[in-house]
Amino acid sequence: MSPASSHSPHGQSPLRTVQVLGGGNAGSSQHVRSLAAGLVARGVRVTVCAPTDADSAYDFTGAGAEHVPIPRSSDPGSVAALRAACSNADLVHAHGLHASFRAALALSGRRTPLIVTWHNRAYAEGPRAQLLRVLERRVVKAAAVVLGTSSDLVDRARRRGARDARLSAVALPAPRGTLGRDESDRCKTRAELGATDRPLLMAVGNLYRHRGYDVLLDAVRAWRGLDPEPLLVIAGEGPLRAELQGRIENEGLPVRLIGRRDDVDELLLAADLALLPSRWESRSVLAQEALHARVPLIATAVGGVPELVGDAAELVPYGDAVALGRAVVRLLGDPERREALRERGVRQLATWPTEDETVAQVLSVYDEFTRPRPLT
């Protein structure tokens, strides 16, 4: 019997799963929504434990799951609330380091299997870096299996002592904006951003140090002499906004910070190039959306990016502003290369798992760690 059909055979009750999500970045939140919908369609009972605003944004209840609001990790009541929500679960699946740590605490003393998916890695320096290593070791010790969305995350889990760590690439839904958009929509978005008669470069992501935006601003000097001068637009919010805005104003950079947006797919469709300058990424949502939108991508060769994009993007070393700037100038001046990247992107998309394949793989993992459940 295939994994997709073995979760509720005759004489057994439906599998009861709890999906635990912390603050939730876009990738993990979209994955949980997709996973919940696929599991429910296969007869699995799904409860999603996540902050209220996460359900508002990703509509877990609309996917057929029960949503239990759980305070964020900083709230002292979150572990107790999670423990209560998991009381009748056959299996708990936590997404991300902090959500996994809270799930491990909530399941302490119980025999409920804990599945952990690492979608990304946390960043910290100094004493906090040591704390993160402690959390990672605690999580992998408690987990029956750790699923990493890129090979280096799997390796990281093994280094931390995971008894079982596997690659589990996840599928994200195709961005809704890739359908039904025409040239007039694209022109309208470009006009809104101030790029009617100039190249538009798009970067997306929270304004944190590891995103590499300081390097990106350094790279701007490479294209300042072009005519027309390209405009760089960064969509995202975070603690570096004031610092970045100060540099933009003091150096007169052709850059706009537009804050957090819920129309990233439309922004990408209007762009000439997408830029991903991060210190590290796993299965970058921006990279996936750029390839779906057929927008040429320039990204740092870090983490899971090379295995995700293959030859469908220009890859540069992290922290090398000169290489990043030259790649932008070279690609803007080479329409044949841009078209080649678009075509390679279409082929690369076909190598990624579908949502159905992702759900089937996760169900096969669930089957390994759950016993037959007699009807009650």
Side-chain angles (χ1 to χ4, degrees):
M1 184 175 294
S2 67
S5 61
S6 63
H7 52 81
S8 184
H10 181 71
Q12 293 186 29
S13 63
L15 181 68
R16 297 165 296 188
T17 71
V18 173
Q19 307 289 322
V20 184
L21 191 64
N25 61 30
S28 58
S29 299
Q30 290 180 38
H31 172 59
V32 170
R33 207 284 181 187
S34 173
L35 186 58
L39 292 173
V40 169
R42 289 160 173 80
V44 177
R45 294 180 182 175
V46 179
T47 298
V48 177
C49 293
T52 300
D53 57 348
D55 185 54
S56 299
Y58 295 96
D59 193 22
F60 304 120
T61 51
E66 177 188 0
H67 172 243
V68 175
I70 298 292
R72 296 186 182 276
S73 57
S74 58
D75 190 304
S78 62
V79 172
L82 187 56
R83 186 171 179 85
C86 295
S87 60
N88 294 317
D90 296 306
L91 178 144
V92 175
H93 188 169
H95 301 263
L97 176 60
H98 294 287
S100 301
F101 180 66
R102 285 189 293 154
L105 293 178
L107 294 177
S108 179
R110 297 179 179 176
R111 301 182 66 180
T112 308
L114 173 62
I115 309 299
V116 166
T117 294
W118 281 359
H119 297 263
N120 222 315
R121 54 182 279 192
Y123 289 90
E125 298 178 355
R128 281 189 55 81
Q130 176 61 27
L131 174 61
L132 283 177
R133 287 191 289 272
V134 171
L135 292 182
E136 288 174 343
R137 286 194 291 267
R138 174 66 184 270
V139 164
V140 302
K141 182 179 180 181
V145 60
V146 178
L147 306 176
T149 59
S150 62
S151 297
D152 60 330
L153 282 176
V154 174
D155 292 340
R156 186 180 183 89
R158 288 172 178 160
R159 290 196 303 271
R160 295 293 184 257
R163 72 190 91 170
D164 188 348
R166 312 176 192 179
L167 181 64
S168 181
V170 301
L172 298 182
R176 63 183 183 278
T178 58
L179 300 174
R181 300 281 294 174
D182 57 25
E183 185 61 24
S184 64
D185 295 317
R186 184 173 186 269
C187 291
K188 182 178 178 181
T189 302
R190 291 175 68 92
E192 175 209 336
L193 297 173
T196 303
D197 299 313
R198 60 198 299 197
L200 175 61
L201 315 177
M202 181 65 59
V204 180
N206 293 335
L207 307 183
Y208 287 92
R209 191 73 60 189
H210 68 272
R211 294 292 184 184
Y213 292 133
D214 53 341
V215 179
L216 183 55
L217 294 191
D218 290 340
V220 171
R221 64 173 64 100
W223 62 78
R224 295 209 61 181
L226 298 183
D227 184 20
E229 185 179 64
L231 173 66
L232 169 62
V233 173
I234 302 174
E237 198 55 82
L240 290 186
R241 184 181 181 103
E243 177 183 324
L244 296 174
Q245 188 63 49
R247 279 197 61 184
I248 292 167
E249 294 173 0
N250 293 336
E251 300 174 30
L253 301 177
V255 180
R256 286 191 61 193
L257 304 181
I258 59 172
R260 185 176 290 108
R261 298 282 291 249
D262 59 6
D263 59 347
V264 169
D265 46 2
E266 297 176 10
L267 297 176
L268 280 173
L269 285 168
D272 296 291
L273 299 178
L275 307 180
L276 183 65
S278 301
R279 181 193 308 169
W280 190 91
E281 293 280 349
S282 179
R283 291 184 68 83
S284 162
V285 173
L286 174 64
Q288 293 179 73
E289 291 181 336
L291 267 60
H292 273 294
R294 292 175 56 87
V295 177
L297 172 69
I298 299 174
T300 44
V302 297
V305 173
E307 66 182 318
L308 175 67
V309 302
D311 65 354
E314 292 278 358
L315 298 179
V316 299
Y318 167 73
D320 192 336
V322 173
L324 178 56
R326 286 175 177 170
V328 169
V329 173
R330 184 170 60 250
L331 206 50
L332 286 176
D334 190 345
E336 291 184 359
R337 174 64 176 167
R338 296 198 301 272
E339 184 57 30
L341 289 176
R342 293 186 186 99
E343 294 305 317
R344 291 177 184 180
V346 172
R347 294 196 296 270
Q348 188 67 15
L349 286 172
T351 70
W352 295 347
T354 65
E355 291 182 84
D356 279 346
E357 290 168 343
T358 298
V359 173
Q361 182 190 30
V362 170
L363 267 175
S364 71
V365 173
Y366 289 0
D367 284 347
E368 291 181 48
F369 295 99
T370 51
R371 300 187 182 89
R373 299 164 302 282
L375 287 169
T376 57

